Amino acid sequence: MKETKLGDFEEVILLLVGILDKEAYAFRIAEEFESQTKRAVSIGAVHSTLNRLGEKGFLTSAMGGATAERGGRRKRIYQITAAGQRALEESKDFKMSLWNQFPAFAGNLKFNF
């Protein structure tokens, strides 16, 4: 059976694919990860995570057009599937449920996204 839960790193990568939309290719995802988190990431970690998310059915990919800045090479562009959107929604709902139960916040602050 395929794993349907998201790990933290997988969740961030999947969210970045959604944020980057038509620019969601591995190198750009890695750049955005570093920009958003202020943490370094290897391109290998991004590639293996993208592959794993694809195997789980959370992403699809297609080759984009060749570009001059890449010496005529094409980029593999990633896109979130309906299953990936559901996985993100479930992850968000679960985390919001936990945050809403946290005594320091319970009764004072409710997270509703």
Side-chain angles (χ1 to χ4, degrees), residues 35-85:
S35 172
Q36 295 269 357
T37 66
K38 308 296 186 244
R39 294 182 358 219
V41 66
S42 73
I43 194 69
V46 172
H47 275 291
S48 64
T49 302
L50 290 167
N51 289 336
R52 190 169 51 255
L53 289 167
E55 289 169 3
K56 290 181 177 185
F58 297 158
L59 287 178
T60 59
S61 67
M63 294 305 290
T67 60
E69 75 255 8
R70 292 177 47 87
R73 294 189 337 256
R74 297 167 56 187
K75 300 173 189 170
R76 179 166 298 281
I77 307 297
Y78 293 87
Q79 185 173 15
I80 299 175
T81 64
Q85 288 179 347

Side-chain angles (χ1 to χ4, degrees), residues 2-37:
K2 273 190 209 177
E3 175 63 43
T4 58
K5 300 286 187 208
L6 289 171
D8 288 335
F9 186 67
E10 290 176 327
E11 183 177 11
V12 172
I13 295 298
L14 197 55
L15 285 166
L16 290 174
V17 169
I19 290 166
L20 292 170
D21 193 35
K22 305 259 186 267
E23 291 294 312
Y25 55 94
F27 184 76
R28 183 70 183 94
I29 293 166
E31 284 182 328
E32 190 65 19
F33 178 90
E34 291 184 358
S35 172
Q36 295 269 357
T37 66

